[in-house]
Amino acid sequence: MSFPRCALLWARLPAGRRAGHRAAVCSALRAHPGPVPGPLGRPPAVASASSSASGGSKAPNTSLFVPLSVKPQGPSADGDVGAELTRPLDKNEVKKILDQFYKRKEIQKLGADYGLDARLFHQAFISFRNYILQSHSLDVDIHIILNDICFSAAHVDDLFPFFLRHAKQIFPVLECKEDLRKISDLRIPPNWYPEARAIQRKIIFHSGPTNSGKTYHAIQKYLSAKSGVYCGPLKLLAHEIFEKSNAEGVPCDLVTGEERVSVETNGKQATHVACTVEMSSVTTPYEVAVIDEIQMIKDPARGWAWTRALLGLCAEEVHLCGEAAAIDLVTELLYTTGEEVEVRNYTRLTPISVLDHALESLDNLRPGDCIVCFSKNDIYSVSRQIEIRGLESAVIYGSLPPGTKLAQAKKFNDPDDPCKILVATDAIGMGLNLNIRRIIFYSLIKPSINEKGEKEIEPITTSQALQIAGRAGRFSSKYKEGEVTTMNREDLRLLKEILNKPVEPIQAAGLHPTAEQIEMFAYHLPDTTLSNLIDIFVDFSQVDGQYFVCNLDDFKFSAELIQHIPLSLRVRYVFCTAPINKKQPFVCSSLLQFARQYSRNEPLTFAWLRRYIKWPLNPPNNIKDLMDLEAVHDVLDLYLWLSYRFIDMFPDANLVRDLQKDLDGIIQEGVHNITKLIKISEAQRLLHLENMPADSRSRSPGTSKSQARRMRGTKTLGFKAAEPPGPGAEKSLASRLVQQGLLTADMLKQLEKEWLTQRTEHGRDKAEPGTTSKGSRRKKKEPDSD
């Protein structure tokens, strides 16, 4: 029978008889075949079997499911076949049917059986209703069902298969939940490394505190082996082993994220390699492998790299160096591989003592002192106050280039250099050999990021305190005994409590999804953003009790930053793993620009990069200039990192490295003159405040907060914080501060006295009550200046 004839007969059938043939016609004409639920309230047998196979997996976090948009259908080239077979639909009637469908409890329960919780059900229904009401023509099957419901020839529940089909279109994760669970199953990580499992490795754990010789013994085994790999947490440490190995006649290559150095003239790989732990190869066989700072396996962001090295390195002997807190976890992880752990314990080679008195004033500094701060602002403030006292200080903090850190360390260690004081962050905890006699904690509070990616401001941990304190009186330095104390008297008791606490055993090791796993996820969810893929992956992932999924916030930040740029998934993944400081706007915008250039297939040449960073750059004139230069250095690091992943698009790595060395020299010059830069920055800030109206100055944004943060440090330096000066002081003292760039305790004391006098004489209590009360409160809290 021809189609026109079939259509004509169908149209002539009464509504009741059409209902009897509805199933057959729908089956023949359905445009998008798919699984249809069984009887109402009971999912099909396949779904039940699949659900039971999941082993009672946790319910997914459906808030991560971002609905895709499904456009309503426009006019069809074949016309509205459903209307020809039945009749055009009345949109008002259809709307009433859909509202009735939405309100039925049985439908909501059936939706929940298919993974549509209340939130997803509502979103899916809104999309489904808009699709039905806004489409110019509908698929024949759903058109016929709606028509039959209008004539009471079908039940409103018969819409459910079409609703479910639409829900799976906007939430594709519903269609493949079990596949996604299998892909994101992170249990039994040892099985990911078949090469390592094919050999019987000997595991030796060198356990001990800082300056106990544990790493030295491991490195001696590394140097005496026929082949070896050293995996360190920092570029500085990898570079140190690289130089030490070659100096002792053991050919050694250097491999970091931004640098590859081959010592063999023919380009052949050397027998030994020193690398950062992320760059270690899990397929190359070695006789000896050394994994340094194994306790970092618990790090919320980088722990996965230590887990990968521990389980995956193909070495006959694997030497682990780190804290005793990691022994139990390492033993437990390697129990699943059938490998036993031999533990060698070490004690500290030189004594270290916690003093019974705090420093309290910078006037009490001695040669060999190191003041440890946990913020750049404190670094700048302390350096300036040391300079005012006629002393020179070296400065080391995390964002400085490695070359600058080494130059500052050399300056501090040089017995002929007048610089005898070091001001540093906890960056000195690893990677630098320093002649420190006494560690002084300027504060015990350090901002940190927990496993959930949340910022926390808490006292440093016992492990962190021991790591930093252990830098005093090292065996190789000229000070054979170390001392530790605090700047503030009230912190000393807390420091002793922290140092006397036992280090808590490490409970879990970090894991990270691979590019292959994300690609498989993307195959099932092709229209989902990379950031959303990561969220869903982490939510679906299953881990054993000894593991956790590392914090991927930095990865997601980069993914969202370049989401709108057309890149393949693998390329996008590589760009997102590039290490950047997301607090640096210029570095973030550079990642975006590099990705955009890549997507246009435009190589990033040396000439282009010079124009982009506006080279040549001038030496810094103030602290802001210095920070800008540090950001440019990070951008060059980013270029070099990408050049080893996309050599054709980032072709000028050698030229950029030479440029980076020149920039390092400029930064070194700036850090060498850091107190001068601080002085100029203070003068510029005071000049800005002097030129502001009095009322604007009193409510200058951020001033009170930053002063409050530094109030505790200000007390310890032995002077009072500056208060808004009176009219007389503005003309005399403030102008002198601007012209000379000086800011001493005596000047601040004089300034406060002048302001208090002027306030009394001119009745400033009434004119500026907020300022006065604030000053009064602050005066009560602060001690007399030195």
Side-chain angles (χ1 to χ4, degrees):
M1 184 183 296
S2 66
F3 181 82
R5 176 65 176 162
C6 174
L8 179 62
L9 292 176
W10 179 269
R12 289 178 178 176
L13 283 174
R17 294 183 60 187
R18 281 202 305 269
H21 299 284
R22 170 171 45 83
V25 175
C26 289
S27 176
L29 298 179
R30 180 163 297 165
H32 304 286
V36 181
L40 184 60
R42 187 173 62 200
V46 175
S48 299
S50 174
S51 177
S52 62
S54 67
S57 301
K58 65 174 183 178
N61 179 6
T62 58
S63 66
L64 301 175
F65 301 171
V66 179
L68 304 177
S69 93
V70 177
K71 294 182 179 179
Q73 292 191 25
S76 172
D78 298 328
D80 192 345
V81 179
E84 292 179 15
L85 288 173
T86 58
R87 67 181 181 92
L89 294 173
D90 185 331
K91 297 293 185 181
N92 290 327
E93 289 185 33
V94 171
K95 187 175 182 301
K96 291 178 182 177
I97 291 171
L98 293 173
D99 289 344
Q100 182 184 356
F101 172 84
Y102 176 73
K103 293 176 182 177
R104 283 185 57 76
K105 298 296 183 184
E106 294 85 349
I107 292 296
Q108 295 176 15
K109 183 179 183 302
L110 187 57
D113 291 338
Y114 282 89
L116 291 167
D117 61 12
R119 175 183 168 275
L120 296 188
F121 183 87
H122 178 75
Q123 288 185 300
F125 173 76
I126 296 298
S127 176
F128 181 61
R129 183 178 63 184
N130 292 340
Y131 174 81
I132 295 292
L133 297 178
Q134 295 174 15
S135 290
H136 189 275
S137 61
L138 295 170
D139 291 337
V140 178
D141 50 2
I142 192 169
H143 186 108
I144 293 173
I145 287 291
L146 287 169
N147 183 72
D148 285 351
I149 296 173
C150 289
F151 284 97
S152 301
H155 195 275
V156 68
D157 293 343
D158 292 336
L159 277 176
F160 186 79
F162 306 100
F163 167 72
L164 182 62
R165 184 174 70 190
H166 185 89
K168 288 181 178 180
Q169 282 183 282
I170 69 168
F171 295 116
V173 68
L174 297 174
E175 191 78 271
C176 53
K177 282 194 294 187
E178 297 310 317
D179 289 332
L180 297 181
R181 281 199 174 95
K182 291 176 183 176
I183 295 168
S184 58
D185 190 342
L186 302 181
R187 293 173 293 185
I188 321 181
N191 291 351
W192 303 349
Y193 309 102
E195 292 90 348
R197 301 291 77 78
I199 61 176
Q200 186 62 34
R201 304 182 305 171
K202 182 179 180 181
I203 312 296
I204 300 165
F205 196 121
H206 301 266
S207 168
T210 304
N211 192 30
S212 61
K214 59 184 184 299
T215 307
Y216 169 81
H217 287 89
I219 293 300
Q220 291 305 114
K221 290 291 294 184
Y222 162 83
L223 293 174
S224 62
K226 296 177 182 177
S227 63
V229 58
Y230 168 83
C231 307
L234 300 172
K235 289 183 284 187
L236 281 173
L237 284 171
H239 203 275
E240 180 185 340
I241 300 302
F242 163 74
E243 290 185 335
K244 179 182 179 66
S245 184
N246 286 297
E248 297 195 14
V250 180
C252 178
D253 291 341
L254 176 67
V255 178
T256 69
E258 300 81 13
E259 191 173 9
R260 309 283 192 279
V261 179
S262 178
V263 295
E264 299 289 352
T265 54
N266 58 3
K268 184 180 177 182
Q269 183 175 336
T271 56
H272 289 65
V273 60
C275 63
T276 46
V277 66
E278 287 87 351
M279 301 303 298
S280 59
S281 169
V282 293
T283 56
T284 306
Y286 301 101
E287 183 180 347
V288 168
V290 176
I291 306 175
D292 206 357
E293 306 295 352
I294 186 63
Q295 71 276 1
M296 289 190 70
I297 200 169
K298 69 175 181 179
D299 188 84
R302 298 178 65 201
W304 63 270
W306 276 264
T307 305
R308 175 177 171 272
L310 175 65
L311 299 177
L313 284 176
C314 298
E316 298 171 23
E317 282 189 18
V318 180
H319 292 259
L320 312 175
C321 305
E323 298 175 1
I327 293 176
D328 291 345
L329 176 64
V330 167
T331 303
E332 192 174 352
L333 296 182
L334 295 181
Y335 177 79
T336 61
T337 68
E339 296 166 323
E340 294 184 359
V341 179
E342 176 189 340
V343 179
R344 298 178 184 175
N345 293 302
Y346 300 81
T347 57
R348 185 176 167 88
L349 298 174
T350 56
I352 187 169
S353 58
V354 182
L355 300 180
D356 291 327
H357 57 274
L359 189 71
E360 298 194 84
S361 171
L362 295 179
D363 293 329
N364 299 324
L365 286 173
R366 297 177 296 180
D369 279 350
C370 172
I371 303 177
V372 177
C373 308
F374 294 114
S375 78
K376 273 190 181 180
N377 286 338
D378 288 341
I379 289 274
Y380 300 148
S381 174
V382 172
S383 300
R384 179 75 178 96
Q385 290 304 312
I386 291 173
E387 193 262 351
I388 288 173
R389 286 164 170 76
L391 301 174
E392 281 195 38
S393 63
V395 173
I396 296 176
Y397 50 87
S399 60
L400 284 177
T404 305
K405 290 178 185 174
L406 289 171
Q408 289 290 296
K410 183 178 179 181
K411 177 184 177 183
F412 174 69
N413 289 336
D414 187 354
D416 298 325
D417 194 292
C419 171
K420 301 301 179 187
I421 308 296
L422 176 63
V423 183
T425 64
D426 54 342
I428 63 164
M430 294 181 189
L432 293 168
N433 294 315
L434 299 162
N435 291 324
I436 298 173
R437 176 173 59 183
R438 180 170 60 172
I439 289 286
I440 302 157
F441 285 93
Y442 188 70
S443 168
L444 296 176
I445 305 299
K446 179 186 177 183
S448 62
I449 304 295
N450 64 19
E451 294 178 9
K452 298 179 181 178
E454 300 165 340
K455 187 171 183 179
E456 296 179 341
I457 300 179
E458 295 181 341
I460 56 175
T461 64
T462 300
S463 176
Q464 292 168 335
L466 289 171
Q467 185 80 21
I468 298 169
R471 309 308 289 181
R474 289 180 64 82
F475 181 74
S476 57
S477 75
K478 67 178 183 180
Y479 301 111
K480 301 307 179 186
E481 293 186 11
E483 298 174 343
V484 185
T485 187
T486 59
M487 191 71 174
N488 304 303
R489 187 185 309 168
E490 57 268 32
D491 284 342
L492 190 56
R493 181 179 176 183
L494 176 59
L495 176 64
K496 290 181 178 180
E497 290 178 4
I498 292 173
L499 291 174
N500 289 330
K501 281 182 184 177
V503 180
E504 295 182 3
I506 298 172
Q507 302 296 328
L511 296 174
H512 191 288
T514 64
E516 291 76 16
Q517 288 170 317
I518 298 303
E519 279 183 335
M520 287 190 285
F521 245 59
Y523 173 79
H524 289 283
L525 306 172
D527 298 313
T528 305
T529 66
L530 180 55
S531 176
N532 193 216
L533 278 177
I534 291 295
D535 281 335
I536 297 173
F537 184 97
V538 173
D539 183 59
F540 272 68
S541 64
Q542 302 174 72
V543 296
D544 291 327
Q546 305 97 335
Y547 298 95
F548 67 93
V549 180
C550 283
N551 183 341
L552 300 172
D553 283 355
D554 288 347
F555 184 99
K556 287 168 50 186
F557 174 84
S558 297
E560 291 167 1
L561 187 66
I562 64 173
Q563 179 56 44
H564 63 285
I565 298 176
L567 299 167
S568 69
L569 181 68
R570 180 59 71 107
V571 170
R572 190 181 300 278
Y573 181 93
V574 172
F575 267 93
C576 293
T577 54
I580 66 168
N581 182 356
K582 62 184 182 183
K583 296 179 181 178
Q584 287 278 12
F586 183 59
V587 179
C588 297
S589 63
S590 297
L591 177 70
L592 184 63
Q593 186 62 36
F594 289 0
R596 186 176 290 119
Q597 288 283 111
Y598 185 100
S599 70
R600 296 171 182 162
N601 201 29
E602 298 175 1
L604 289 89
T605 63
F606 181 64
W608 178 92
L609 187 63
R610 281 172 59 98
R611 291 193 301 271
Y612 178 71
I613 64 174
K614 297 179 172 58
W615 189 267
L617 299 172
N618 297 319
N621 293 319
N622 51 46
I623 290 297
K624 182 182 180 301
D625 288 349
L626 179 61
M627 294 174 66
D628 290 343
L629 290 177
E630 292 170 7
V632 174
H633 192 280
D634 287 347
V635 169
L636 299 184
D637 259 348
L638 176 61
Y639 182 100
L640 293 171
W641 192 93
L642 291 168
S643 72
Y644 289 106
R645 280 82 181 167
F646 308 111
I647 189 169
D648 294 336
M649 298 300 292
F650 297 83
D652 296 327
N654 291 332
L655 294 172
V656 171
R657 184 165 289 107
D658 291 339
L659 185 71
Q660 192 179 46
K661 290 177 181 177
D662 294 339
L663 176 59
D664 201 339
I666 298 173
I667 294 175
Q668 286 183 37
E669 180 184 345
V671 174
H672 181 73
N673 299 318
I674 192 165
T675 53
K676 179 180 177 182
L677 302 184
I678 296 168
K679 187 189 302 182
I680 295 172
S681 297
E682 289 174 347
Q684 291 173 342
R685 184 166 61 252
L686 286 169
L687 180 61
H688 173 69
L689 289 173
E690 186 182 35
N691 293 332
M692 288 174 61
D695 57 341
S696 300
R697 189 185 317 148
S698 65
R699 57 174 183 269
S700 178
T703 301
S704 59
K705 287 185 179 180
S706 61
Q707 285 179 346
R709 287 192 215 105
R710 291 194 293 267
M711 184 61 63
R712 189 173 185 180
T714 302
K715 290 189 210 176
T716 64
L717 295 179
F719 62 86
K720 304 183 182 182
E723 298 288 352
E730 275 192 7
K731 293 180 180 179
S732 57
L733 184 58
S735 59
R736 280 170 49 204
L737 287 170
V738 172
Q739 292 171 6
Q740 300 177 21
L742 298 176
L743 190 65
T744 66
D746 291 337
M747 285 185 177
L748 286 167
K749 185 177 180 180
Q750 179 185 352
L751 182 61
E752 184 182 33
K753 288 179 178 179
E754 289 182 9
W755 178 72
L756 289 172
T757 302
Q758 293 291 338
R759 185 187 64 176
T760 304
E761 291 176 356
H762 297 284
R764 290 179 64 86
D765 292 31
K766 296 180 180 179
E768 297 178 17
T771 305
T772 302
S773 60
K774 183 176 179 181
S776 301
R777 287 196 302 271
R778 186 174 296 173
K779 188 175 188 307
K780 289 178 183 178
K781 289 183 180 180
E782 295 177 353
D784 293 337
S785 58
D786 290 337

